[in-house]
Amino acid sequence: MISKLTYQSNRRSFIRSGLLLIFLLAFQFAVFAQGKQITGTVTDNTGASLPGVNVVIKGTTIGTITDFDGKYSITAKKENDVLVFSFVGYIEQSVPVANKSTINVVMKEDVQQLNEVVTIGYGIQKKSDVTGSVASVKSESLKNMPSSRADEALQGKAAGVMVLQNSGQPGSSPVIRVRGLATVNGGSPLIVVDGVSGGSLSDINPADIESIEVLKDAASQGIYGSAGGNGVILVTTKHGSQGKIKVNFNAYAGIQQPWAINVKVCDAQQYALLYNQYQQILGKKDYFTSDGTNYLNPIDNSVLKTTEWTKEIFRTGSTQNYNLSLNGGGKVSNYFFSVGFSGDQGTVKKTYNNKVNIRLNSDHKITKWLKIGENLSFTNNQVASQGERNEYSSPLATAIQMLPFVPIYATDGSGNYAYKEAGLASNIKNPLAQIEFNNNISKTNSVFGNAYLRADIIKGLSFESRFGMNYSETDYNAFTPVHVIGDTNAANASQSVAVNQYNKNTSNYSGWQWQNFITYNFEIDKNNFSIVAGTESGISKSSFENTSKYGIDIETSKWKDYSDTTGFTTDQERDIESRGYAYFGRINYDYAGILLLQANFRRDYSSKFGPNNRAGNFPSVSAGLKFSEFNFIKNLDIIDFGKIRVGYGSTGNSDIQPFLYLNSFGALNVLGYSFDGTSIKQGAALLTAENADLKWETVVTQNIGIDLGFMKNKLNFTVDLFKRSNQDMLLRKSVPLTVGYMVTNPGVELGDANLDTRPLQNYGTLNNKGFEISASYKDKVGDFKFEVNANLTHAITIIDDIGDPLVDYGNGRGVSNVCRTSNGESVSSFYGYKIEGICQESDLTWYRNIKNKKWFSVMADPNGTTTISNTSDINLNPIVIKAKNNSAKAGYYKYADTNNDGTIDASDMTNIGDPNPKFTYGFGGNLEYKGFDMNFFFQGSYGNDIFNLLKVNSFSATNGGLNWSPDLLQSYIPASYNLTDYTAYPTPVVEAKNTNTGIARMDADLSSSEFYVEDGSYLRLKNIQIGYTLPKSVISKLKIERLRVYLGAKNLLTFTKYTGFDPEVGETTLLERGFDRGTYPQSKMFIFGINASF
Amino acid sequence: MVLIRSRRCSYLVSMPHSNCIEILVQSLKIMKMKFNKSYLFLSVLCILFASCSKDFLDVEPKGVSTDIVFYSTLDGIEQGVTGTYASLNACPAGLHNLDMMYLAWGNFPSDDAEAGGEAGGGDITDFQMLDRGTTVPGGGNKSVSQNFWGYNYKSILRANSALNGIKSFRENNSNLDAASVAKLNHFEGEMHFILAFIHFRMVQTYGGVPIVDHVLASSEYNVKRNTIAECLHFIQDQLQIASALLPTKSQFGAENVGRASKGAAQALLAKAYLYEASYAKNYAGDDRFTGCTNTFDKALIYADSVINSNEYKLVGIDGETFDTYWSQNNSPIYPNGTPGYRYIFTVDGENSQESIFEVEAENDQQAYMISRGTYLTIYSATRNVFAADGTTSSSLGWGFNCPTEELYKAYQEGDLRRDVTCGVHKAPIYTTAGWGFMNNIATPTMMMCRKFEASPAQYWSTRGSSDGCGPNNLPYIRYADVLLMGAEASIETGNSSKALSYVNMVRKRARNGAATGVPADLTSCALADVQNERRLELGMEGHRFFDLVRWKQQDILIDQPLMRYFNGEPTTPIYCQFTVGKNEFLPIPQVEVVNTNYSLVQYPGW
């Protein structure tokens, strides 16, 4: 019985595939037949001729394609033959031959694309039948973005998917967040490539991608269980198709520059003026002439020259990208093979990224019902980087700090880099020297792929087994050779390196995954069922080794030689492994394609969690109603397509390191002890507690969405509302001191004040909600075709029930705990003082010291412990000043007394900004006119704040050792700098410059305050291209099927008010976001490219 | 803690579906022969519904060190034991070394000492509050008490964890050689000693505290308070176990002089019985002390065991002197050699023959916070010194732990112990610039304690900061203490002649073995004589307040002035706020009451 059924089904499928084969191979097979000649022209609905349309006699292998003028000629054998016309993007048409000898056909464009198929977990589904929230990005939408990485190409393309550029460093990975945050751990979506999880988007060549689907709600993510809570990104790579070999070659090359250098620093003269001012504050003599052009006591007589450090570190870089793919196949086997190379020379000197991608995807039919195949990719990635995100010592930060009149090279002719000007204290590293002596190169080789087997067992029932594997190896080397910085009389040797130093860091990742599942589709009348059930298991392992070597005597050119093991000082190793397996299932039911229901279930087992909680269940359900199928809606003739979707379910987040449920026990210097009174024995101790109950975070998601199509589905809308709640967040929690792990400041004992040794526990909730809208319009007027699309996402994330705020984030030069995550507030909000204005002299309270008869000002002091010894001291102007620590002077910031307790202290620090955007959005369009095309794409973020930490460098007084911002020239300058030393009462109305510019005097307190918080909104023209496709008549002689040339620009326009290097600051960690320590700016790129098919 | 947790499992055996792979291979063979898909379908079903083995998830935690990893070798156990000792000298957050805290608890609230610190009396609020008797459960700005509580329980956790390790190691290794058995035995004894030692320190400070005799599971986190008697009985039990397991100091040898020996366990036993008996004698009817009984006899037995073991000797009792920086060329003090009583507090004299249990500190030239040195040195060094020419003044230390005029005057003129205990203004002091003079003008009593002093060369770190790099050990129990405990127990059990001989041994050493001189031998000995001798002999070593409490010498405690200037005009004195029935013990840190969900309850009055 089974075999009979199977036979029938195979026969049918054979016929189907045979037809397909015929269409595809039509061009290859010469048609020899006796019969009636039929000719005609195929046009589109505008009357334009359509070349390349397949014309096949139904049920036969006889076929042809239309020529460049849309004309065809075919010989029909019988009168009842039917001609089938098909062309990609158009609705297939069948026309009976009957007695006609001319058949002209107008092809209708398939604008509805309702038959578009999207990939979902362990299967595919018609887009119109999807009940979850799935964003789909097809290769057409990715191909015009000049990028060598899939994650970057995804930026702004899909509603609800936020791609944060963390850096402009070539080869750096952006951060992807689906619908904001669902957790404070990990937070990255699960990446599934060709069905196997664990791939890396940055390793995938965008040219190899067929489609990317983002699963955004529990109904769609549910089948991925404990790993799905942060969203799932499914990548499907291109596959070979039957037909003659197709060769595609794409290439572009161009230049890149920093998009802008907005950071303002003083030139030599401005610095000199400010330095004199600073000397005056200190009551010291001027150092420079009053016009700021020279030293007062000449060190040399030449006029001060400016070195523009913030420009010197940059250069005009280059970019190039080549991609060649072969695609073809026959009756048995299909293949897709591609090779890509990209090379980026970044805009900061000595940074680059070279990448090679190789992919081979093929499939083979062993029998009629058994197919095997593999998808295999290899990536070699090499990145040379310079430090960034370091407000102290990265070249980006030192370029801001370096004094402007220091020359690049020492003036003594030694050729050494200069680092300071004699007489002015400065310990800033010369950024150009840093760049020259930093040799940081990271190399990664990775192999990712899978092999699969698919058996069609009986009609509708198939079995698939996939074995995926993932291997990558990263080798990071940093080398600093012996060098000297400074002129000959430089006494400070701290900038010179006396011995070669290098650091080698290798890491390996390997993993495998095995999936087995069955799919069964069947129908009973109008009731359609689709069932998936299966198992999955996998292991992932990683190891890490870090070695530093000092003082070895090797040639600079041979520094990569590690065979010499002398001089290694540290050697840290770490191996980790995690394993898991799961059972999963899904049932889809629909009634006549109108009512759609889906239920998912997954039971996950993971070794990451405590022995008491290794298994978890993740159910989800969703439903959809295609209301446009109802007659009363159809009769309205307004909506062409309409579907409501609702979904509810739970997923998990297991994005933590394995073994955290175990205690940790370690050896540290501080645990050593002497038993003989002289030598120290190595000691070890329990450092953290075990938690056998540790489990994943559970994320409950609700989603309601609507898909609408108007104007014959030319205009499409999708709107989704979502709500997520993470209820068992993994956080570190205080336990009683008596238990023995805790101290008041955990980690201090271990030599790292930021190390948190509190045990990880499941508590705390996080609520995330928002909406997303996407819209597209597509039309054609004559030869003019256009398409526009836009998407917008709003997501807020509020954390609750975490007890004490999570505050060990956002620490940097001069500020601490700025990024604070507190109950009831947005994750990682900025925390500091609110500024009410600038403190004026008339605001101060003046006292007269009885003994020395001097006037002085103090702030109102609620504790009554001021230095006033006599109550008869005159209080001339009793205004309460809002300034920190009651020590403000005229020109300082007046901070807000937010708790109204009459004093300004740490308890007045409050929420001063939110790094999370109110909206992120993208919009773009494609225009085509005859051979010309133009496409553009904007991406932006609105309503997010950035904490510009670099301002600490350029606005703080320090000792004049850092360059200043020229804005300080506009700062408030009181009548006298030393207000504590008045011998006479100052005139209440003081002639002061710029009392309200918003810039405090240069020695003002610079605690964390609104001063640093800037609007981080931006809008970027990410990409624009103008292309021309050469007419076929021209290129056909060259045996080229299609040739397009184009000019393009990336990040051509940026609209932002932000004053740092780049508004795309990204995030350091989930709890430190929008905190700018000096981010490598994105580059503006101009390219020329070609696309050719053979 | 569950020690047997993650079973080692071999990679292949634990691979899931391994049986399924077999099935698949078989079915592929069958398919080849028959092309019968029904077999395939069956095998598919097998694969799909074959249960994955749960063993698959038992991943050996490679690269992650857990207690199990460490306790699988004898060397790992030794490291765990060493790490437990290290916690005795922990340097918690806020720079408060546990040694210093012990001195603070035992000295500041007493009549012997003032907190000191920076001039003005506000330095380290907790120390000042302790001194004034105004400590509150919430702690001061640096939460010293909170650190003391947390770090002591950290030591207890480590000791319990090491005991677990020793137990499981014994279970997993049945055929151990004699040397390993001996080693395990003394490790076990040492850990029991430390459990007792820390609990005792906690009882002295807080009264009844939670007894923690195992690693607490999360279900046990809301701990409750045990009574003082329960704690003392637990301490005594632990010490009995330790005493049976531990070798003597000489058996341990010089390389293990820092370890707790049988003598240390017996000495602490004597102390624990003495405290119990004193509490029973002086606090009858006070609920806090219910269950304490008269154990003076036991105190005497264990003091005598130590005294009669011939393991210990009062250094200097035979007239010997020593070469230390105090006695180097041109030294204005002890130019002819450092006498024994001074010597035992110097870095050179650590772990002397008199030493029974010390907390070891070494200047290992490591940086602040990771050093194995102590803050004790920098805390108790004088803030300012004059150079030899008497003009320049430079900063040396932080000036805490200042002796009072009362203590100074308690010594007879000529008692060597006075100038070792009390460093007066303008006393000679050795600095980086050679010999100079103390400038104690900024200290509240114009005196600094001179015990636990090191030469700058001994405590300066090459890493720059010398804050936590002090080399001074804190002698917790020394032989003189045991002799005086023996004397006290003798009197309480009616043997005053034995008491007299013990007290006179202490006084003879104070004269560095001289037949006559100051202090002269006593001719009779009453309890008050022993009490006075404890004050003089053990001054500034962290005993006085605890002794006054157990003797219930309320008059001294209540009327003890906060500050009295030496040789200076006393300003309006501030008296220590001592309330009988309350201030005998510190309150439990309020944060811990909250952390345990109020299962910890303060004593009445707090």
Side-chain angles (χ1 to χ4, degrees), chain B residues 182 186 242-257 259-263 266 309-312:
Chain B
H186 80 65
S243 169
L245 288 165
L246 287 170
T248 63
K249 190 177 174 183
S250 57
Q251 285 166 342
F252 255 139
E255 74 275 19
N256 288 317
V257 74
R259 293 187 185 274
S261 64
K262 186 190 281 292
Q266 290 174 336
S309 67
N310 294 321
E311 292 275 329
Y312 306 100

Side-chain angles (χ1 to χ4, degrees), chain A residues 575 665 669 690 738 743-744, chain B residues 5 62 65 146 151 370 592:
Chain A
D575 283 290
F665 199 95
N669 185 72
E690 65 181 27
T738 314
V743 291
T744 43
Chain B
R5 192 172 40 214
K62 271 181 300 184
S65 47
Q146 192 177 316
Y151 270 81
I370 61 166
E592 192 62 356

Side-chain angles (χ1 to χ4, degrees), chain A residues 703-745:
Chain A
N703 191 83
I704 179 160
I706 187 162
D707 302 319
L708 295 169
F710 301 96
M711 303 166 71
K712 293 183 176 156
N713 284 319
K714 287 177 188 169
L715 178 64
N716 285 288
F717 279 108
T718 293
V719 180
D720 275 83
L721 292 164
F722 60 87
K723 204 172 161 184
R724 287 193 290 189
S725 176
N726 183 341
Q727 307 189 339
D728 300 306
M729 212 143 44
L730 286 160
L731 295 170
R732 297 194 178 273
K733 192 177 189 180
S734 302
V735 298
L737 302 169
T738 314
V739 180
Y741 293 96
M742 247 294 282
V743 291
T744 43
N745 190 0

Side-chain angles (χ1 to χ4, degrees), chain A residues 330-541:
Chain A
K331 259 184 170 176
V332 174
S333 301
N334 296 317
Y335 58 86
F336 173 84
F337 172 74
S338 86
V339 186
F341 169 78
S342 72
D344 268 324
Q345 299 282 327
T347 57
V348 170
K349 287 173 179 171
K350 253 178 92 182
T351 59
Y352 66 82
N353 175 213
N354 291 331
K355 189 150 93 170
V356 177
N357 287 98
I358 300 172
R359 172 170 290 278
L360 177 63
N361 292 350
S362 59
D363 56 77
H364 316 275
K365 265 195 162 148
I366 305 296
T367 69
K368 285 173 187 169
W369 50 270
L370 184 67
K371 189 168 130 182
I372 61 165
E374 100 294 317
N375 306 301
L376 202 61
S377 70
F378 167 79
T379 308
N380 169 285
N381 196 14
Q382 182 166 336
V383 175
S385 60
Q386 291 292 338
E388 58 171 325
R389 293 173 176 279
N390 180 331
E391 70 280 15
Y392 296 98
S393 63
S394 72
L396 288 162
T398 53
I400 294 175
Q401 297 166 23
M402 197 70 180
L403 300 185
F405 48 81
V406 177
I408 296 174
Y409 297 102
T411 49
D412 63 357
S414 61
N416 292 337
Y417 284 99
Y419 82 97
K420 75 170 188 180
E421 187 67 25
L424 277 181
S426 171
N427 202 19
I428 304 306
K429 291 186 185 288
N430 182 322
L432 292 168
Q434 283 184 293
I435 288 171
E436 174 162 348
F437 299 124
N438 286 348
N439 298 286
N440 302 339
I441 293 175
S442 156
K443 285 180 193 170
T444 304
N445 285 311
S446 60
V447 178
F448 184 85
N450 68 73
Y452 58 90
L453 170 156
R454 186 188 148 101
D456 295 311
I457 296 163
I458 53 169
K459 185 197 172 191
L461 176 66
S462 63
F463 164 73
E464 193 161 341
S465 181
R466 287 181 195 150
F467 189 84
M469 44 128 190
N470 188 354
Y471 178 80
S472 76
E473 195 178 71
T474 302
D475 195 3
Y476 170 83
N477 297 297
F479 176 66
T480 309
V482 169
H483 64 266
V484 177
I485 299 177
D487 45 29
T488 45
N489 60 356
N492 190 339
S494 68
Q495 295 223 2
S496 300
V497 170
V499 292
N500 290 322
Q501 300 177 353
Y502 69 98
N503 179 267
K504 182 183 170 68
N505 215 319
T506 53
S507 60
N508 275 293
Y509 174 85
S510 65
W512 59 257
Q513 198 179 96
W514 192 20
Q515 302 167 355
N516 293 288
F517 59 94
I518 51 170
T519 309
Y520 188 39
N521 300 320
F522 62 97
E523 49 185 87
I524 302 167
D525 294 334
K526 285 180 169 176
N527 302 285
N528 301 309
F529 294 87
S530 176
I531 297 170
V532 174
T535 63
E536 181 175 304
S537 60
I539 286 181
S540 75
K541 288 181 179 188

Side-chain angles (χ1 to χ4, degrees), chain B residues 6-319:
Chain B
S6 68
R7 266 168 294 160
R8 276 183 79 118
C9 52
S10 96
Y11 186 89
L12 269 174
V13 170
S14 65
M15 205 168 130
H17 311 314
S18 58
N19 51 336
C20 308
I21 290 175
E22 198 57 36
I23 294 169
L24 185 63
V25 170
Q26 287 302 323
S27 43
L28 283 171
K29 281 180 189 164
I30 294 165
M31 279 158 48
K32 216 171 176 181
M33 288 185 295
K34 296 188 179 176
F35 278 92
N36 189 330
K37 284 191 291 184
S38 54
Y39 279 99
L40 176 69
F41 185 55
L42 284 173
S43 59
V44 162
L45 287 178
C46 279
I47 289 168
L48 281 175
F49 301 105
S51 69
C52 285
S53 158
K54 283 193 178 172
D55 290 350
F56 178 60
L57 299 182
D58 287 337
V59 182
E60 190 187 349
K62 271 181 300 184
V64 178
S65 47
T66 61
D67 52 351
I68 296 166
V69 174
F70 266 81
Y71 293 148
S72 62
T73 66
L74 199 57
D75 178 61
I77 290 173
E78 181 160 4
Q79 289 196 42
V81 167
T82 306
T84 309
Y85 273 100
S87 61
L88 304 180
N89 181 18
C91 170
L95 312 178
H96 306 302
N97 188 270
L98 284 175
D99 293 347
M100 190 58 217
M101 286 188 214
Y102 185 78
L103 287 192
W105 284 196
N107 293 345
F108 298 172
S110 78
D111 55 339
D112 279 0
E114 302 303 348
E118 196 169 0
D123 199 0
I124 305 194
T125 319
D126 278 26
F127 284 174
Q128 308 301 333
M129 289 166 88
L130 195 67
D131 198 350
R132 289 162 171 80
T134 56
T135 301
V136 291
N141 61 342
K142 306 245 175 151
S143 303
V144 174
S145 171
Q146 192 177 316
N147 277 331
F148 189 72
W149 184 286
Y151 270 81
N152 276 324
Y153 275 106
K154 193 171 257 230
S155 303
I156 289 171
L157 168 76
R158 289 181 186 173
N160 282 320
S161 162
L163 285 169
N164 274 342
I166 292 163
K167 190 175 171 219
S168 70
F169 187 83
R170 282 211 184 96
E171 283 164 1
N172 297 334
N173 299 277
S174 47
N175 298 317
L176 289 171
D177 57 47
S180 301
V181 170
K183 220 173 185 184
L184 281 175
N185 281 343
H186 80 65
F187 287 156
E188 190 183 351
E190 287 170 84
M191 293 301 95
H192 285 293
F193 173 84
I194 285 178
L195 274 186
F197 175 68
I198 301 292
H199 277 93
F200 185 73
R201 200 151 72 160
M202 293 295 284
V203 169
Q204 282 181 306
T205 309
Y206 298 101
V209 291
I211 294 171
V212 177
D213 61 356
H214 61 283
V215 177
L216 295 176
S218 54
S219 57
E220 301 171 302
Y221 282 3
N222 291 340
V223 291
K224 285 193 165 50
R225 192 167 202 158
N226 291 87
T227 65
I228 290 171
E230 284 166 351
C231 290
L232 287 172
H233 296 156
F234 170 75
I235 290 160
Q236 291 151 4
D237 292 346
Q238 293 296 310
L239 290 169
Q240 298 283 10
I241 299 168
S243 169
L245 288 165
L246 287 170
T248 63
K249 190 177 174 183
S250 57
Q251 285 166 342
F252 255 139
E255 74 275 19
N256 288 317
V257 74
R259 293 187 185 274
S261 64
K262 186 190 281 292
Q266 290 174 336
L268 193 56
L269 257 176
K271 193 166 265 193
Y273 284 122
L274 196 64
Y275 269 65
E276 183 182 350
S278 304
Y279 290 150
K281 178 183 169 193
N282 298 318
Y283 289 90
D286 187 329
D287 286 346
R288 293 174 298 177
F289 302 92
T290 306
C292 291
T293 56
N294 184 344
T295 47
F296 284 121
D297 52 342
K298 288 183 181 154
L300 183 57
I301 289 169
Y302 288 103
D304 278 345
S305 299
V306 176
I307 294 163
N308 298 328
S309 67
N310 294 321
E311 292 275 329
Y312 306 100
K313 178 194 164 189
L314 289 173
V315 175
I317 198 165
D318 295 329

